[in-house]
Amino acid sequence: MFDKHTKKLYAEGAQTEGMVVRVEPWGTLPGYYRYTVRVKFPDGSTTEFLALPQGFLCEMSDVVPCRYDPSNHKKVVLDVPVLQERYKQVEAAQHAQIDAQFAQVGQPGSAGSGGSAAQVLAGLGDGGDLMAQLLAAAQNSGGVIDLRSASPDGSAPDPVERLTKLAALKEQGLLSDAQFEAAKAKVLGES
């Protein structure tokens, strides 16, 4: 898998980090890339080298572990064993997060039953039509919220108050940008 030069650097080389400065397709197979990595050494000098880390996807500006020969800064390799360990840790954390989320599936208040947006809205108390529409919109993200319902005393609600409530809902993440803009346009159109 690794040539003799690379194995020696893994065993005896000094550790440093590099930054991916270029990503290019490599060969004719999809999913294979070669990376240009720029390394800065402790003495301040730099070099670039090509890396072909099969099985790892890197992006521009990713910081990656490298090994180098302190007596010859042209001998640099991507530290694949360290990368493999990092990916294992990230993957384990992702699986733990998925398992924790899955444990909540089917329970009241879970994402499948309206999630945190529905919980917040349910805690608002009796808001009449507005609360029903917000709950529906939280569960059906494409909905537009109609804020034209009358105040409890029967008078038309204040547009400034309605816009303030809309802004608060958007800030809490309960309204998407599109829902906010649509509702705001309705309020302004009625004024």
Side-chain angles (χ1 to χ4, degrees):
M1 179 172 158
F2 304 117
D3 65 11
K4 192 164 93 172
H5 163 77
T6 303
K7 285 181 183 178
K8 184 174 180 177
L9 283 176
Y10 287 160
E12 302 170 9
Q15 292 180 324
T16 190
E17 291 183 322
M19 181 176 284
V20 176
V21 295
R22 182 176 300 145
V23 178
E24 302 172 293
W26 180 63
T28 57
L29 295 174
Y32 284 87
Y33 297 94
R34 70 178 184 180
Y35 304 100
T36 302
V37 179
R38 185 176 299 154
V39 177
K40 187 173 186 178
F41 300 103
D43 67 2
S45 64
T46 63
T47 192
E48 290 185 0
F49 69 98
L50 287 177
L52 304 169
Q54 295 177 3
F56 297 104
L57 294 177
C58 297
E59 296 182 18
M60 295 268 294
S61 77
D62 279 356
V63 175
V64 292
C66 300
R67 292 276 183 167
Y68 70 98
D69 183 342
S71 63
N72 182 353
H73 289 179
K74 295 295 180 190
K75 294 182 180 180
V76 184
V77 294
L78 197 61
D79 197 340
V80 173
V82 170
L83 268 178
Q84 288 173 332
E85 186 58 35
R86 283 185 187 176
Y87 277 93
K88 284 180 187 175
Q89 290 172 358
V90 168
E91 190 175 62
Q94 288 172 337
H95 283 291
Q97 183 179 15
I98 289 169
D99 290 344
Q101 289 174 341
F102 185 75
Q104 300 299 316
V105 171
Q107 294 182 9
S110 72
S113 62
S116 61
Q119 291 172 352
V120 169
L121 293 171
L124 290 176
D126 184 21
D129 290 342
L130 174 60
M131 189 174 123
Q133 290 179 44
L134 289 173
L135 280 168
Q139 292 173 348
N140 180 8
S141 61
V144 175
I145 299 168
D146 184 3
L147 296 174
R148 290 181 292 184
S149 60
S151 296
D153 64 358
S155 64
D158 179 31
V160 174
E161 182 182 323
R162 291 165 56 194
L163 290 172
T164 303
K165 287 180 182 178
L166 278 173
L169 292 170
K170 181 179 179 249
E171 193 173 302
Q172 293 171 5
L174 300 176
L175 293 178
S176 69
D177 289 340
Q179 290 171 324
F180 173 77
E181 291 301 324
K184 181 174 109 177
K186 274 189 168 187
V187 169
L188 294 175
E190 293 171 9
S191 301

